[in-house]
Structures are given as C-alpha cells and as structure tokens.
Amino acid sequence: MRNYHIWTIGCQMNQAESERLSALLDAWGLRPTNIPAEADIILLNSCVVRQSAQDRVVGKLISLKELKPKRPEALLAVTGCLVDSNTSQLHQRFPQVDFFFKPGDFDQFQAWARKHNLANGVKEIPLPSGPTCFVPIIQGCDNFCSYCIVPYRRGRQHSRPLSDILQEVSQLAAAGTKEVTLLGQNVNAYGQDLLPPTDLAELLTELNRIEGLKRIRFLTNHPRDMSPRIISAVAELDKVCEHLNLPIQAGDDDILAAMRRGYSAAEYRCLVSAIRQAIPGVSLSTDIIVGFPGESQEQFQRSYDLLQELRFDTVHVAVYSPRPGTLAARKLKDNIPSFMKKPRQQLIEKLQEHIAHEINAALVGKTVEILVEDHSRGRWYGRTRTNKLVFFEDVGQWQGLLAQVKIEKSGPWWLLGKLEANPENPQ
Ligand code: SAM
Ligand code: SF4
C-alpha cells in the first residue's frame, strides 16, 4: 500500500482544500502518514500572505530537497498561494518539486495523479466528515487591497452555484455534520458574479432549511460587503451563529485609504454599531495590520484606540509584510523598521488579552450551549455559537452532540465548565 503526506499552513481555505485532497487520496486507496520520508507522494499546501509564512514554506521545501536523493521515486506536489502563473520559474527555483498546481484546481491535480498511476477510477472528491466541516463557496477576490497578494494568486472572485452548495451541505448534514463554516477570501461578496446574481443572505436562507444541520458560520468578510440583508439574515435565521468576522485592518483614515479598503474608521464604527443593535450578544473578530508603510505613532494609536473602544472578542494582529507585485510593495517604502513594528504588535496583543479576559470572565456562572467537536487530554471540547472554546470533563460519548455547560473558569482564549442536565445527554 502506498502512503501520502500532506503539510498545510495558512488560512481555513487551505485547510479545507487539504481536507478534500486527503479524502481523494484516501478514496484512491493511499494511506496517510505523518512521516514525509515514508510517503510515496508529498503534498505541500503553501501560504505566502506574509513573508514569515513564505519562509516556512521555503524551509520545508529545502528539507524535502534533502529527502529526494534518498527516495527519488517519491513525488512532491505543491499547491496554495506560492503557485503563480509562472510555474516554469517555480520549477527552476525548486527543482525538487514534480508538480505545481493552482489552489483549488483539483482537476489539474487529478490529471497529473492519473499520469503517475496514483489515481483509481474515483473522480468525484469525497466530502469531508465530522461534526463541523468547512465548505468553500467562493474563490479569489476582486478587492485588490494594496498590501494583499491573494487576488494575484487565487484570481478573481468566482462563486460556486448556489444549488451545488445546497446539495453538498444537505449531503454533509445527512451524513451527520452539525455545523458548516462557509469559506472564501471575501465570502460576503458571494453570488455577485453569478448569473443571475444572488447573495450570501439568500444562500444562508436556503441553508437554514436543511434538516439535521444545527449551525452555520461564514468567513472571511470585507466590511464594505456586509450588507443590511446579510446582517438581517444573521439576526433572523436560527441556525446562523451570532459570530461575525469583520477585518478592520487599521483605525486611521489615511492608512485605510492607502490600503484601499474603501471605508473610513467612522463608517466601520457605524457598521459595528448596526450589527450589535441587530444581533444582540454577537461576538466579533477582526484582523489588523501594524507597521503599514508610513504608519506614524499617532496613526498606530488610532488603531489601538479603536480596538479599545470597540472591544472585539478576537483580534488577529499582523505585522505588515511587503508582498511582491502588490500596489503597496510597488509604490510605498516599507519604512517602519521591525524594532518599531514588533512592539506595536505586542501592545495590541496585550490589550486584546485583557479585553478577551474580561469578556470571557463575564460568562462565569452562566450556562452555554456548545457543539462538542472532540476530546483532548481527558476533556471534551467544543464551541459556543459565539465561537468561544469550552472544555468540560465527562465519561460519556459527546462527539457531535450539543451540550449545556455551566462555566466555572475562564481565560482569554478558553472557558472551562461542568456539564448540566442535557436534552442530548446520552446517559
Ligand atoms: N479578506 C479579508 C479582509 O478583507 O480583510 C482577509 C483575508 S487576508 C488573506 C487574511 C489576513 O492576512 C488579512 O486580514 C490581513 O490582516 C493579513 N494580511 C494580508 N496581507 C498582508 C500583508 N501584506 N502583511 C501583513 N498582513 C497581511
Ligand atoms: Fe486580500 Fe481580503 Fe483585501 Fe481580498 S479583501 S484583497 S483577500 S485583504
């Protein structure tokens, strides 16, 4: 029997695509291995959104180059955002790689795999399984934020037909999946490119009717595409969770303009306030970049102050990293040195730790509903509708069930509780 090894970094879209590639290789009769040296095919799913991610990918490729002379028959394929249209240049730079294919281009991968006798007759990619599943609904992005490489690597916005997604989620629910997370780089622009056009609100409404499905989430979003229709859908549809990802990226208007985000800090504030009014108890996560070209101390302070004012549940803070080919890398000098960027990142991380601690501490003594995903080191864990990670101890079998848990302890990134009397309690 032949083995495969998949190595993935980056966003949930990469994770989802790796899950599907893994399911396909399983269906072809290959066996997963954690040890690259034992694999007959190694698949590397790459991310180059920041230089640090790219460095890890290149490091991995160098280590795999050393493996090649020992196992010349083993195949190495690379996908993800490292792969641009100039694959001959990539082959020159990384001669150890047998095949590069664009993110999500499973047809290209299958054709190559067939040539190398990896594939059997199975052509349809088997669906993932488990209580929670990722479902990609839109590829690419048309926004071209000045710092971002995604539109250059994943291409223009391309939505999957609504009927395909409905069919897939119905199949997942029939097989026992309770929660789906709809994925895309700009998921709230879903449907704008379809003929006739549709939107995410319509898709959510249709998905909400699927029997057996309990929860629906979606990410990542662009604030400009968060329409009142989508906000109402989240507020009104019982299965759509009260958790929204709304990347702000900066709190200063000149920086936002240089980033080409298409909104001001005041417009973003209004959006948050409309969302909080329409969806009581909503939890919000955001992304922010520090050290964008020219970011002064005052401009950084505006980002900091806005985060302090809006009090997000989660903040992902990234240090600006110039990406080749993007507008910012071509036109703006990366003039904030690392010794200034890093402390800015740490200040925001510290602020957020404090805010998240306070938000989570307010849940102590309350009972929350979690969808149990799995167990680890003697504890079951799952997430609330608001995406809080909760642990509890119990000897029963809880995977895939909804549990009521009374929170006893909290930290900034987790909650710990005790099982309450549960309608779904198997005992
Ligand atoms: N589409 C979402 C949006 O509009 O904000 C986010 C998707 S983006 C691929 C994921 C995150 O990576 C961004 O929110 C941003 O914070 C970060 N990112 C993208 N390009 C970056 C860069 N050049 N330097 C630092 N962080 C970057
Ligand atoms: Fe990148 Fe998101 Fe901007 Fe698209 S909307 S270019 S994915 S940051």
Side-chain angles (χ1 to χ4, degrees):
M1 200 183 215
R2 284 176 304 172
N3 298 323
Y4 71 89
H5 173 80
I6 302 190
W7 184 86
T8 309
I9 61 164
C11 62
Q12 288 92 342
M13 198 66 154
N14 273 12
Q15 279 178 43
E17 284 167 1
S18 287
E19 270 173 28
R20 279 161 202 242
L21 286 165
S22 164
L24 185 63
L25 290 160
D26 288 339
W28 288 344
L30 283 91
R31 214 173 28 193
T33 171
N34 289 329
I35 306 162
E38 288 179 359
D40 300 283
I41 168 166
I42 300 171
L43 260 169
L44 211 137
N45 200 345
S46 62
C47 171
V48 294
V49 161
R50 285 182 284 276
Q51 188 61 42
S52 52
Q54 182 163 333
D55 292 345
R56 284 186 62 200
V57 174
V58 171
K60 189 77 186 170
L61 281 168
I62 290 169
S63 73
L64 293 173
K65 190 175 183 178
E66 287 157 16
L67 206 90
K68 208 67 192 191
K70 292 178 211 149
R71 302 252 347 258
E73 74 288 358
L75 295 164
L76 174 57
V78 175
T79 187
C81 290
L82 178 76
V83 184
D84 56 15
S85 35
N86 196 344
T87 49
S88 55
Q89 216 172 53
L90 282 168
H91 275 296
Q92 255 175 21
R93 201 170 152 210
F94 305 109
Q96 66 274 42
V97 177
D98 299 285
F99 182 56
F100 290 98
F101 65 106
K102 290 220 157 200
D105 195 343
F106 299 136
D107 289 346
Q108 222 193 340
F109 173 71
Q110 293 213 37
W112 173 80
R114 248 175 261 123
K115 262 200 269 170
H116 289 84
N117 296 323
L118 288 167
N120 59 19
V122 177
K123 287 195 180 134
E124 190 122 334
I125 303 209
L127 291 180
S129 60
T132 62
C133 283
F134 289 133
V135 176
I137 65 164
I138 180 169
Q139 279 283 357
C141 180
D142 284 358
N143 281 326
F144 289 92
C145 300
S146 67
Y147 52 83
C148 184
I149 200 167
V150 167
Y152 302 93
R153 297 298 163 92
R154 284 193 175 261
R156 303 304 293 263
Q157 221 157 274
H158 179 66
S159 302
R160 281 177 72 189
L162 196 140
S163 54
D164 281 14
I165 302 166
L166 278 183
Q167 194 188 3
E168 182 171 315
V169 177
S170 303
Q171 282 173 9
L172 286 172
T177 293
K178 301 283 170 54
E179 176 182 304
V180 289
T181 302
L182 311 177
L183 291 182
Q185 299 301 336
N186 194 20
V187 81
N188 56 349
Y190 173 79
Q192 288 169 7
D193 56 306
L194 290 174
L195 276 175
T198 178
D199 70 355
L200 183 65
E202 182 65 35
L203 176 64
L204 292 172
T205 307
E206 294 291 333
L207 292 174
N208 200 62
R209 297 197 179 106
I210 293 177
E211 213 179 305
L213 189 69
K214 307 258 183 193
R215 293 175 170 188
I216 306 165
R217 306 182 190 277
F218 56 92
L219 50 90
T220 60
N221 298 300
H222 191 294
R224 209 182 30 197
D225 292 315
M226 195 58 90
S227 66
R229 269 175 59 81
I230 297 177
I231 299 172
S232 301
V234 180
E236 285 158 22
L237 299 170
D238 61 328
K239 295 180 186 174
V240 182
C241 294
E242 301 77 27
H243 169 240
L244 287 180
N245 152 265
L246 202 63
I248 182 167
Q249 310 298 6
D252 176 83
D253 286 346
D254 290 337
I255 298 286
L256 283 169
M259 287 178 163
R260 298 190 137 212
R261 289 293 286 176
Y263 54 83
S264 64
E267 282 163 343
Y268 185 91
R269 249 193 214 99
C270 284
L271 181 61
V272 167
S273 138
I275 289 172
R276 285 186 165 152
Q277 213 167 1
I279 314 163
V282 66
S283 83
L284 291 177
S285 69
T286 199
D287 295 4
I288 194 147
I289 297 175
V290 295
F292 188 78
E295 184 190 61
S296 65
Q297 191 53 38
E298 292 71 35
Q299 289 173 318
F300 163 72
Q301 194 61 41
R302 268 179 216 122
S303 288
Y304 184 95
D305 292 347
L306 198 58
L307 295 183
Q308 196 165 35
E309 175 194 329
L310 296 178
R311 291 176 66 81
F312 293 94
D313 292 75
T314 320
V315 175
H316 301 110
V317 47
V319 159
Y320 171 72
S321 161
R323 304 286 68 215
T326 60
L327 190 73
R330 281 184 279 125
K331 302 269 184 213
L332 306 169
K333 193 158 182 269
D334 179 23
N335 59 356
I336 310 297
S338 178
F339 71 82
M340 287 171 78
K341 283 176 178 166
K342 276 278 161 200
R344 289 179 187 180
Q345 181 184 34
Q346 284 158 359
L347 273 172
I348 289 184
E349 282 170 349
K350 215 157 163 233
L351 168 72
Q352 187 53 31
E353 187 172 340
H354 179 72
I355 293 173
H357 207 112
E358 283 186 352
I359 293 176
N360 285 353
L363 289 169
V364 173
K366 300 216 163 97
T367 298
V368 296
E369 182 183 83
I370 67 166
L371 173 62
V372 183
E373 290 174 26
D374 209 340
H375 58 85
S376 162
R377 286 183 266 165
R379 282 182 179 146
W380 290 103
Y381 65 85
R383 288 182 183 268
T384 63
R385 287 174 63 99
T386 52
N387 210 36
K388 308 264 176 219
L389 182 62
V390 180
F391 293 90
F392 70 92
E393 281 177 23
D394 191 69
V395 290
Q397 173 51 249
W398 279 96
Q399 193 175 40
L401 297 178
L402 291 170
Q404 306 292 324
V405 178
K406 185 162 183 180
I407 303 302
E408 294 181 329
K409 268 192 185 165
S410 70
W413 327 121
W414 53 268
L415 297 158
L416 181 64
K418 228 190 181 127
L419 207 54
E420 294 258 279
N422 279 271
E424 289 202 6
N425 195 331
Q427 276 120 33

